[in-house]
Amino acid sequence: MTELTKLTIAEAREKLKARKISATELTDAYLGAIDAANEAFNAYVAVTHDKAREMAKASDARLAKGEGGALEGIPLGIKDLFATEGVHTQACSHVLDGFKPRYDSTVTANLWADGAVMLGKLNMDEFAMGSSNETSYYGPVTNPWRAEGSNAQLVPGGSSGGSAAAVAAFLCAGATATDTGGSIRQPAAFTGTVGIKPTYGRVSRWGIVAFASSLDQAGPIARDVRDAAIMLKSMASVDDKDTTSVDRAVPDYEAALGKSLKGMKVGIPKEYRMDGMPAEIETLWQKGIAWLRDAGAEIVDISLPHTKYALPAYYIVAPAEASSNLARYDGVRYGLRVPGKDIIEMYENTRAAGFGDEVKRRIMIGTYVLSAGYYDAYYLQAQKVRTLIKRDFENVFADGVDVILTPATPSAAFGVADQEMNSDPVKMYLNDVFTVTVNMAGLPGIAVPAGLDSRGLPLGLQLIGRPFDEETLFQTAHVIEQAAGRFEPQKWW
Amino acid sequence: MSIVDTRTPDPKRFISGATGDWEVVIGMEVHAQITSNSKLFSGASTEFGAAPNNNVSLVDAAMPGMLPVINEECVRQAIRTGLGLRAQINLKSVFDRKNYFYPDLPQGYQISQFKQPIVGEGTVTVSVGPDSKGNFEDIEVGVERLHLEQDAGKSMHDQHPTMSYVDLNRSGVALMEIVSKPDMRSSDEAKAYLTKLRTIVRYLGTCDGNMDEGSMRADVNVSVRKPGGAFGTRCEIKNVNSIRFVGQAIEYEARRQIGILEDGGSIDQETRLFDPNKGETRSMRSKEEAHDYRYFPDPDLLPLEFDQAYVDALGKDLPELPDDKKSRLVSDLGLSAYDASVLVSEKAIADYFEKVAVSRDGKLAANWVINDLMGGLNKAGKPIEESPISPDQLGAIVDLIKEGTISGKIAKDLFEIVWNEGGDPKELVESRGMKQVTDTGAIEKAVDEVIAANPDKVEQARAKPTLAGWFVGQVMKATGGKANPQAVNDLVKARLGLE
C-alpha cells in the first residue's frame, strides 16, 4: 500500500489510465496513510473518508469507460482556506467554528471537474497569517523532516504548512495552497517540495477565504515540478466571478519541461544577498547558478534597488486589506458567536475569542495604517513603494532577463515553538524576505528543492518570472530538479 | 475643498429672528436607488416587498471567499443620470471600502466611491414657486458629484423582545449618492430641488423616486448665518424620507440654530435625526463620535473604466428631459411658461399631456389637462396614473370642441359623464343628443321665436345694444345649450339690426 502513495501524480495518472491500479485502491492507500500518520503531523484538520471513496468510485467508473479528466482519480489534500461544499472550511480559525459552505471555490470545482479526489482539509496558519503553521486554531503542524541525529520537531513553514507536510509525508499526491507573501514557497522550501505561486489573476480567488485580496493567489504544492505543472493547469482559469482573474488561455505547462535553456537570460539580483544570511544559502545559490549556466543559460547580475522596502511595505498593505476582509467575521451570520449584553459587546466577545494573537495583531496594524491621519504616511506610502518594486522588475525584464534566481528562504526549517521566532514577530516576518517582492509585483514565483544543509534539512531556490510566464518557471525549475535530484525525508513516523 | 457661495442674499428668503434677519444655507445628499433588476455587485433580485432575506446572494450575505462583480446596468444608469444632471462623466472611477461595523452591513464595509466618483460636477435648474403672484423663479443648484455605492440591509428592532432581526434584501442594492453644493437658501428651494431631482431620474428611468418605499432618501445639511456673512457650522439631518419632511426639518432646524445663536450659544457640528411625529430634529451623534471609515480602494475591484464613445452613445439615447420639454412646449405649442412648467413637473403628467396634445391644439389640450383633469384628480386625491379619463378620451373631447360639435360648456358636462361613467365621448354626444346645433335654419327659427315673443325687449335692445346678450341666452336656453353660441350671437345682432 505504501508504494502506491509514493507514486507521483504523473506516475499514478499513467497507472490509472492503464487500469493497473484503481482510484479506489489509490485513495484507500492515502486514507490508510493519513489514519496512521496524521496524529504525528497534524496536517489534516478534517479527513473526508466517505467523500473520498465516493469520488474515487466515480473516477473508476469514468476510467473504466476510457473517460476521465486530467486529474482523474488523483487524491489531493485541500488547504482549509478553500471553500468545499458541505465540508469543514474554517481557515483554521476558531471564529469560523462549524462553518460548512454551500459552495465550492472555483479552484476546487476545477479540480473536481478534472476528476481529482478530495482526501480532506489541510492545516494552515489562521487565515493564512504566519510562517510556521503555529497560529492555527487546530495546533501546529510537524515537518516530516528532522535534523540528522535529532528528534526535535521542526515547523513545516507557513501558512500552507499542512499542505507542504502532507505532500512531503506522502499523505496526499498533491495539495492546494495559497500564497500572499510566501505561503506556498516557504513551506515548499522547508519540506523539500515544489510550490508555485502563479501570476496574480492566473487563478480565481472566488471561494477562497480572503486574507489580502491584492496579494492572495492560489497554487499547488507537489512532489516534483511536473506534478506542480499538472496541478496548476487544472487549478488555473479565468472566472466571471473574480474580476481580477485574467482572460488568457491556460497553456500546457508540462510541455515546457525538458526544453533547453540555451539563450535564456537568468538574472541574479544583488539585493538578495542579505547580511547575516547563512553561508549554506549562499553556497546553494551559487550551485543553482552553476546548474543553469551548465544547462546553457546566460547568467547576468541585476539590481532590484527597492527590494529592502518590500517587507515593511508588505506588512502595511497586507494587514490593511486583512483588517477590512476579516470584518465580516462578526458573529452575526455564521461561525462563532459569543453573546454579549448588546451588539457591540457581542462583536467584542466574538472577535476576542474567535481570533488568535497573530490575526489580532495584523487586524490592529491594518486598522491603524488606514486610520485618518495615518493613511498617507503608511498605506499610501506603501502603495508607492509597491509601484517602485513592480517597476524594478519591469526594468529588468525589459533588459531581456527571462527569469530571476534567488534563494527561497533565508534559512532551513526551524524548531516548533522556537523561542527567538515566537518572541519577536518581526523575526518571523523575515522568513518572507525573498518571497514578498513577488506578491507585491503580482509576478509568478516557484520554489524548488536544491539541496540539503549541513544538518540534512532541505533548502530551496526561487525562480521569478515575467507576468503569465509560468512556463519558463517550470522549464527552469525542472533543470534545477534534474541537477539537484529529489529529496525525501527519512521516515520516523 | 473650498466652498463657493454662488447666491446673492435675497431679503425675501430671510428668516427674521430676535436680533435681525438670518439666512439659511442648505446642501443635500440624495440617495437614489438605481432601477435595475439585480444588485450593484451580485445577481440577487432588487424587487421591493419580497419576504425578508429572500433576495440575498452569497455575496450579499458576505459569505467567506465571495467577491463583488460590477453590474454594468447600474454603471449605465449612473452615467445616464450624470448626463441628465449635465455633469462631468469620469471615464475612470474607483471603488473604495467604507469600513464600519453594523449587523445589517454583512461585509463590515460598504463598497462606495470616495476619491474618484463616476460623475463629477453638474447643475440642476430648479423652478421655485409659484409665489403669491403665481410667478416662478429659476435658480441653479450645483451638483458636487454623483457616486455609486451599495445600500445596507435593514435592522428590525420590533420583532423580538430581546433580539434584533436583520433583513438583507436591500443589502447590496445599487444607490446613486447625488451630492449638491450648498446652493439652496430656503426650505422651498430645497423641496423644489429634491422634486426636480426626482423628476429628472423619473424621466431617465434611472430611479423610481418612490420616497415612501425608500427608493429616494435625503441627508440635509443645514446651517444659518447673517445675510452675506461667512457660512455657519452645519448639522446634517439624516435619512429624511419625504419632500414635505425635508421642508419641515429645515424649517425646524434653522429656527433651532437661530435660537441657539441668538442666545449667545454656538452650533455643534453633528448628525441629527428628524422625527416626523414631533416635527423636530434631535441629536444622533456628535462630530467626536463620528466614525473613522478608513476608506481605501477595494482590492477586489479593478478601477471602473469606459470610453467616451460609450458615454456618447448613452447620451444620444437619452429621453427628452424636463427642461428641454418645457422649452419645446413653449416654443412649438405656444404654451405659457407657467403651463409648461406645470405639465413637465411630473413625467406621468407630461406623458399624459403629450398623448392628448398629439396633432391637436396644444393650448386647448393644456387647459383641459391642467384645469379640468388635474383639478379633478386633486379633488379626488388621485395620481394621474389612476385617472378615470384616459388621454384618448380627453383627446376625443378636445376634438369635439375643436370641430364645433359641442360647445365648451357642453364639454364640461361631457367630461363629467366620462369621468363618472366612462365611455366613448363621440358616442355619448350622439346618444345623449349633446351635439351643438349649427344648422342656421334651426337657429334662425329659435331666434325669430324669441324676438317675436319679446317685443318690449327688442325696443330696449335697440336703445342699448349690450342687451343683445339676453336674447342669446334665451335662444341657448330654448335649444338646450346645443346651439353654436357664435352663430346665435351673429343672428341675434342681425335680426335686431345692431350691425
Side-chain angles (χ1 to χ4, degrees):
Chain A
M1 290 291 258
T2 41
E3 284 311 303
L4 287 181
T5 62
K6 292 256 175 155
L7 297 173
T8 63
I9 292 174
E11 289 161 358
R13 180 178 63 182
E14 296 315 310
K15 287 193 158 50
L16 284 163
K17 209 178 258 172
R19 320 255 357 255
K20 290 196 175 131
I21 59 169
S22 71
T24 302
E25 271 178 274
L26 186 61
T27 299
D28 280 338
Y30 277 112
L31 290 173
I34 294 167
D35 292 343
N38 195 46
E39 211 176 316
F41 300 114
N42 195 29
Y44 282 87
V45 292
V47 184
T48 51
H49 295 90
D50 295 343
K51 199 176 180 85
R53 293 195 176 102
E54 228 173 85
M55 291 172 93
K57 208 174 142 190
S59 281
D60 281 330
R62 282 190 289 271
L63 288 162
K65 284 191 272 180
E67 299 168 0
L71 288 169
E72 199 62 58
I74 302 294
L76 300 178
I78 304 299
K79 190 179 183 179
D80 201 32
L81 207 61
F82 292 79
T84 43
E85 192 183 344
V87 173
H88 186 290
T89 299
Q90 299 178 21
C92 286
S93 177
H94 188 28
V95 87
L96 273 166
D97 266 7
F99 183 67
K100 289 188 170 73
R102 294 186 337 204
Y103 49 93
D104 247 295
S105 70
T106 297
V107 167
T108 48
N110 286 347
L111 293 172
W112 313 149
D114 273 355
V117 170
M118 174 165 61
L119 294 168
K121 299 304 283 288
L122 294 164
N123 206 339
M124 55 180 281
D125 280 302
E126 184 183 4
F127 284 107
M129 297 178 190
S131 302
S132 65
N133 212 116
E134 293 172 290
T135 71
S136 167
Y137 178 67
Y138 296 93
V141 173
T142 304
N143 194 329
W145 288 83
R146 285 176 172 181
E148 276 166 20
S150 167
N151 285 333
Q153 291 190 338
L154 301 178
V155 301
S159 69
S160 310
S163 303
V167 171
F170 305 99
L171 302 188
C172 59
T176 65
T178 60
D179 189 317
T180 305
S183 283
I184 288 176
R185 291 160 287 158
Q186 184 250 20
F190 277 14
T191 56
T193 54
V194 176
I196 181 165
K197 181 208 90 79
T199 312
Y200 186 79
R202 177 70 286 182
V203 175
S204 168
R205 293 182 297 114
W206 193 87
I208 301 172
V209 175
F211 160 15
S213 311
S214 73
L215 301 157
D216 294 346
Q217 193 60 193
I221 291 181
R223 305 251 182 86
D224 64 14
V225 174
R226 183 175 299 276
D227 282 7
I230 295 170
M231 276 190 74
L232 182 59
K233 166 95 174 137
S234 287
M235 291 170 75
S237 64
V238 63
D239 186 358
D240 290 345
K241 291 181 288 192
D242 175 4
T243 49
T244 63
S245 72
V246 175
D247 190 4
R248 272 176 89 116
V250 182
D252 178 8
Y253 296 121
E254 249 187 300
L257 271 55
K259 281 192 184 159
S260 163
L261 298 194
K262 281 222 163 57
M264 186 182 286
K265 212 185 241 190
V266 178
I268 309 298
K270 64 172 190 221
E271 289 80 8
Y272 282 60
R273 194 159 283 121
M274 314 279 288
D275 285 346
M277 190 167 83
E280 286 178 316
I281 301 287
E282 174 67 35
T283 309
L284 182 84
W285 197 4
Q286 292 306 326
K287 260 189 347 196
I289 292 170
W291 290 328
L292 297 183
R293 187 184 288 125
D294 292 347
E298 181 194 346
I299 309 295
V300 291
D301 286 326
I302 58 167
S303 174
L304 300 165
H306 297 93
T307 300
K308 65 177 170 206
Y309 304 112
L311 196 68
Y314 170 84
Y315 275 98
I316 289 169
V317 173
E321 293 182 14
S323 70
S324 177
N325 281 335
L326 270 57
R328 66 187 56 198
Y329 308 109
D330 57 6
V332 174
R333 296 168 312 286
Y334 46 77
L336 182 73
R337 176 187 290 181
V338 182
K341 67 171 174 4
D342 55 21
I343 184 74
I344 299 294
E345 205 183 272
M346 190 278 275
Y347 284 154
E348 289 171 354
N349 293 347
T350 300
R351 290 168 67 85
F355 293 133
D357 287 349
E358 184 58 31
V359 172
K360 282 179 193 159
R361 178 180 295 122
R362 296 197 195 190
I363 290 174
M364 285 189 282
I365 292 171
T367 303
Y368 179 82
V369 300
L370 289 176
S371 299
Y374 298 99
Y375 180 90
D376 289 358
Y378 291 102
Y379 184 78
L380 211 58
Q381 192 71 8
Q383 290 292 11
K384 286 180 192 162
V385 169
R386 191 172 180 178
T387 305
L388 293 173
I389 291 167
K390 216 172 162 177
R391 199 168 300 157
D392 280 355
F393 282 108
E394 284 165 1
N395 290 340
V396 165
F397 290 130
D399 285 347
V401 167
D402 298 294
V403 67
I404 298 164
L405 180 73
T406 77
T409 56
S411 75
F414 47 87
V416 170
D418 183 274
Q419 272 300 321
E420 209 186 350
M421 289 288 180
N422 284 291
S423 61
D424 183 357
V426 176
K427 285 228 167 68
M428 187 68 91
Y429 296 167
L430 278 168
N431 270 287
D432 297 333
V433 69
F434 296 138
T435 47
V436 288
T437 50
V438 177
N439 301 76
M440 294 290 268
L443 301 172
I446 192 168
V448 57
L452 301 178
D453 72 359
S454 58
R455 296 174 303 158
L457 295 176
L459 293 170
L461 288 172
Q462 174 179 236
L463 293 159
I464 303 166
R466 301 170 193 269
F468 297 98
D469 189 13
E470 283 79 7
E471 286 166 287
T472 296
L473 295 190
F474 286 122
Q475 179 191 356
T476 316
H478 187 65
V479 170
I480 293 175
E481 184 179 64
Q482 296 284 309
R486 283 177 48 196
F487 304 91
E488 280 181 23
Q490 285 275 313
K491 191 170 177 187
W492 50 262
W493 57 91
Chain B
M1 184 191 70
S2 64
I3 306 167
V4 181
D5 196 347
T6 59
R7 306 286 303 277
T8 313
D10 184 340
K12 76 169 181 260
R13 280 182 282 266
F14 292 170
I15 300 170
S16 57
T19 62
D21 285 340
W22 294 84
E23 191 181 24
V24 62
V25 175
I26 304 153
M28 230 185 285
E29 293 161 23
V30 175
H31 291 90
Q33 180 182 327
I34 291 178
T35 301
S36 65
N37 295 325
S38 53
K39 298 182 181 182
L40 183 54
F41 296 111
S42 88
S45 165
T46 56
E47 199 189 349
F48 179 77
N53 295 312
N54 259 34
N55 294 347
V56 184
S57 76
L58 296 169
V59 174
D60 308 323
M63 299 305 273
M66 291 302 105
L67 299 172
V69 176
I70 185 78
N71 177 347
E72 196 190 325
E73 176 62 12
C74 297
V75 174
R76 213 178 66 90
Q77 294 285 51
I79 297 171
R80 296 178 71 239
T81 307
L83 292 170
L85 300 174
R86 285 177 279 154
Q88 164 77 35
I89 307 298
N90 296 324
L91 300 181
K92 178 179 176 182
S93 61
V94 173
F95 287 103
D96 296 284
R97 292 186 183 176
K98 178 182 180 179
N99 296 282
Y100 65 96
F101 284 94
Y102 205 68
D104 59 25
L105 187 75
Q107 296 170 132
Y109 54 84
Q110 176 195 34
I111 305 178
S112 180
Q113 297 187 306
F114 183 54
K115 281 191 181 158
Q116 298 183 62
I118 186 168
V119 176
E121 292 188 327
T123 333
V124 179
T125 304
V126 179
S127 276
V128 189
D131 61 15
S132 54
K133 288 178 198 140
N135 291 322
F136 285 87
E137 183 193 359
D138 281 356
I139 62 161
E140 298 270 299
V141 175
V143 170
E144 177 70 33
R145 58 187 282 164
L146 175 156
H147 66 253
L148 282 164
E149 65 183 27
Q150 296 177 301
D151 204 349
K154 193 169 75 180
S155 292
M156 293 176 280
H157 306 294
D158 54 0
Q159 307 282 312
H160 187 278
T162 58
M163 311 283 269
S164 291
Y165 283 11
V166 175
D167 177 4
L168 295 180
N169 281 351
R170 233 173 49 196
S171 165
V173 163
L175 300 178
M176 298 179 280
E177 181 172 329
I178 304 164
V179 182
S180 84
K181 299 197 175 193
D183 287 354
M184 290 158 275
R185 298 290 180 268
S186 71
S187 62
D188 281 343
E189 291 187 3
K191 286 195 291 182
Y193 167 73
L194 188 53
T195 306
K196 182 62 177 282
L197 214 52
R198 187 175 66 174
T199 305
I200 292 171
V201 294
R202 281 181 169 166
Y203 267 70
L204 293 165
T206 57
C207 168
D208 64 26
N210 296 337
M211 296 190 77
D212 50 348
E213 291 178 1
S215 299
M216 227 175 145
R217 316 188 283 274
D219 298 342
V220 191
N221 285 290
V222 178
S223 64
V224 297
R225 62 174 177 185
K226 286 290 186 180
F231 285 119
T233 303
R234 68 191 162 88
C235 290
E236 182 180 23
I237 311 162
K238 277 273 180 202
N239 267 330
V240 188
N241 62 3
S242 90
I243 291 174
R244 194 162 52 95
F245 293 162
V246 164
Q248 289 173 4
I250 292 167
E251 292 290 336
Y252 176 87
E253 183 59 20
R255 280 279 160 209
R256 186 189 73 87
Q257 292 183 17
I258 291 168
I260 290 171
L261 293 171
E262 291 193 328
D263 286 348
S266 61
I267 305 302
D268 296 325
Q269 187 176 337
E270 61 182 358
T271 304
R272 299 180 67 86
L273 278 178
F274 178 67
D275 180 342
N277 297 319
K278 293 187 180 154
E280 56 188 43
T281 65
R282 60 166 188 272
S283 183
M284 190 174 142
R285 60 172 180 258
S286 70
K287 193 184 177 186
E288 287 72 34
E289 294 166 292
H291 297 293
D292 179 352
Y293 290 119
R294 290 170 283 121
Y295 282 100
F296 75 108
D298 191 327
D300 285 331
L301 292 159
L302 303 170
L304 178 60
E305 293 180 89
F306 41 81
D307 55 21
Q308 189 59 43
Y310 181 68
V311 178
D312 293 344
L314 291 177
K316 236 171 60 192
D317 286 344
L318 230 49
E320 186 180 39
L321 289 163
D323 292 348
D324 300 328
K325 197 182 284 284
K326 182 181 160 186
S327 306
R328 184 171 57 83
L329 296 186
V330 171
S331 64
D332 290 11
L333 299 183
L335 301 194
S336 70
Y338 177 90
D339 283 357
S341 289
V342 172
L343 290 171
V344 303
S345 66
E346 276 187 44
K347 182 168 187 295
I349 294 172
D351 287 348
Y352 188 106
F353 166 73
E354 296 217 75
K355 278 184 203 149
V356 177
V358 73
S359 66
R360 293 192 179 100
D361 181 332
K363 273 178 154 169
L364 190 56
N367 281 340
W368 277 88
V369 170
I370 293 169
N371 299 325
D372 300 90
L373 183 79
M374 288 175 69
L377 291 170
N378 246 339
K379 219 189 289 168
K382 285 184 178 176
I384 195 152
E385 290 85 350
E386 290 167 32
S387 167
I389 296 188
S390 73
D392 283 349
Q393 287 171 314
L394 188 57
I397 293 172
V398 171
D399 286 342
L400 291 165
I401 300 165
K402 194 72 191 169
E403 70 202 25
T405 310
I406 55 173
S407 64
K409 189 177 166 294
I410 292 288
K412 304 260 178 200
D413 298 339
L414 180 59
F415 182 88
E416 201 74 14
I417 294 167
V418 177
W419 178 287
N420 291 319
E421 303 167 28
D424 177 358
K426 264 193 174 129
E427 283 169 17
L428 284 168
V429 166
E430 289 289 346
S431 63
R432 306 211 180 178
M434 298 169 88
K435 251 185 154 169
Q436 181 162 263
V437 178
T438 41
D439 171 2
T440 28
I443 297 172
E444 269 173 26
K445 189 168 166 266
V447 171
D448 289 346
E449 277 171 15
V450 172
I451 287 175
N454 298 285
D456 50 334
K457 297 268 186 206
V458 173
E459 285 308 312
Q460 289 170 15
R462 282 185 175 139
K464 195 184 179 193
T466 50
L467 282 179
W470 182 85
F471 286 93
V472 174
Q474 292 301 307
V475 174
M476 292 305 288
K477 209 158 136 191
T479 57
K482 286 177 278 178
N484 183 323
Q486 194 55 49
V488 174
N489 197 43
D490 293 348
L491 261 173
V492 165
K493 282 184 175 164
R495 285 288 194 272
L496 292 175
L498 295 175
E499 270 166 334

